[in-house]
Every structure is written in C-alpha cells, then in structure tokens.
C-alpha cells in the first residue's frame, strides 16, 4: 500500500487512460482480492488519506475504462478500490464522484450499481458495503453525474468521465 503514497500519483485522475499507474493499482487490487479477510483489513488499515484518494480516483478511471470496453470486471475493480478507500478518505465526499461515474457506467453497459455491490461485497468490510448501498439507495437524480458535477466526454476509446 505504501506505493500508493508516492508522489508519482500526484494528478493521477487527470492522466491519460490507460496509464502505467493503473497497472500498479491493478496489482494492489489483485493482491487485496487474493488475501484472506484479515490480510485485506490490514491493507485497508495501512491506507492514509492520500492513498485512499488514489484508490478513489482509480474507481473513477475504471468507470471510464469500463464504458470504453464494456467491462464489468473494470467496474468490479473500481468499486473494490472505492470500498477500500471509504473509511480512510480525508473527506468521504471524495467517493461520491467515482460512485456516480460507476453507477452511470454500469447503466451504459447493461448492469446496475446494486448488482456490482453484491458482486464485490465479499471483499469489503461491512461498513463500506453499507455506505455503498446507501449511495445506491439515493434517488436517481441524487446519484447522477449532473448531481456530482461530472459529465461524459468523448466516445469509444476517448470516452471519459470528468
């Protein structure tokens, strides 16, 4: 988890997609998912506000990646990152942006945020899952891109939530 605290992640949300840093976070997510529950909790405990923000940004980037490729797997990985970050962010509102993007991307590729949360819930602490579900239970207009000040840009391999 210490690698997520490195300065090279400064401005990560704005880097071109894909980027080599995405692979670094993919490795973190893979290690996290492959760990037993106690190991996953230790990884979360090792997060600070900065590294949690990087995971949150990764969630938004994976929403863009998923929309480009029609990939539910990218949404799973992004949602796990957002769930990992949930309790460690300096401002919990940081996760609202990626959640709105993940929700929108899910609808574009024919699934739902509710289904994604169910799919990844075994990997996340129950408190994080509860917060994700609370977001999903909002009225559509309260979890929309517009409500979070986000928009869709581009199409195909240039698609981006920003």
């Amino acid at each position: 988890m210490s690698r997520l605290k490195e300065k090279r992640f400064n401005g990560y949300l704005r880097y071109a997609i894909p980027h080599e840093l995405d692979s670094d976070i993919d490795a973190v997510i893979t290690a996290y998912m492959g760990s037993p529950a106690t190991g996953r909790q230790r990884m979360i405990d090792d997060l600070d506000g900065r590294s949690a923000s990087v995971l949150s940004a990764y969630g938004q980037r994976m929403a863009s990646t998923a929309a480009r490729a029609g990939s539910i797997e990218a949404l799973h990985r992004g949602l796990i990152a957002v769930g990992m970050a949930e309790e460690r962010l300096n401002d919990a509102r940081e996760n609202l942006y990626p959640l709105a993007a993940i929700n929108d991307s899910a609808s574009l590729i024919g699934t739902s945020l509710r289904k994604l949360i169910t799919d990844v819930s075994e990997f996340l602490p129950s408190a994080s899952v509860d917060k994700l579900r609370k977001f999903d239970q909002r009225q559509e207009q309260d979890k929309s891109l517009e409500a979070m000040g986000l928009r869709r840009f581009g199409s195909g391999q240039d698609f981006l939530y920003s």
Side-chain angles (χ1 to χ4, degrees):
M1 300 309 269
S2 62
R3 73 175 106 174
L4 299 180
K5 300 172 187 176
E6 296 172 0
K7 288 184 180 186
R8 63 194 183 111
F9 282 99
N10 289 353
Y12 171 60
L13 183 60
R14 302 287 176 232
Y15 290 178
I17 298 174
H19 192 276
E20 65 186 50
L21 294 177
D22 296 330
S23 297
D24 289 353
I25 300 174
D26 286 340
V28 168
I29 300 299
T30 298
Y32 174 84
M33 291 173 64
S35 295
T38 56
R40 291 192 301 265
Q41 188 59 54
R42 276 194 304 275
M43 291 177 81
I44 290 172
D45 290 343
D46 191 37
L47 294 172
D48 62 6
R50 177 175 169 69
S51 54
S53 291
V54 169
L55 288 172
S56 186
Y58 174 86
Q60 186 169 328
R61 292 172 63 83
M62 289 302 101
S64 296
T65 299
R68 291 175 180 193
S71 171
I72 290 176
E73 177 60 28
L75 289 177
H76 285 157
R77 296 174 77 74
L79 193 56
I80 288 170
V82 167
M84 290 171 66
E86 186 63 43
E87 299 298 320
R88 299 293 186 256
L89 291 168
N90 293 326
D91 184 346
R93 293 175 291 184
E94 281 185 63
N95 261 350
L96 296 178
Y97 305 105
L99 284 172
I102 290 169
N103 181 56
D104 187 75
S105 185
S107 68
L108 290 177
I109 64 173
T111 192
S112 69
L113 182 58
R114 178 170 293 135
K115 169 126 176 46
L116 295 171
I117 293 167
T118 298
D119 292 348
V120 303
S121 64
E122 70 182 279
F123 296 106
L124 296 171
S126 60
S128 293
V129 172
D130 290 345
K131 288 183 179 183
L132 297 176
R133 286 189 173 131
K134 185 175 179 183
F135 180 86
D136 183 50
Q137 292 167 356
R138 291 178 172 205
Q139 297 295 318
E140 283 303 317
Q141 70 267 15
D142 296 331
K143 61 182 178 181
S144 68
L145 295 176
E146 295 77 22
M148 301 302 150
L150 293 174
R151 294 186 303 168
R152 297 175 187 159
F153 289 95
S155 61
Q157 292 306 305
D158 294 324
F159 182 90
L160 183 66
Y161 289 104
S162 183

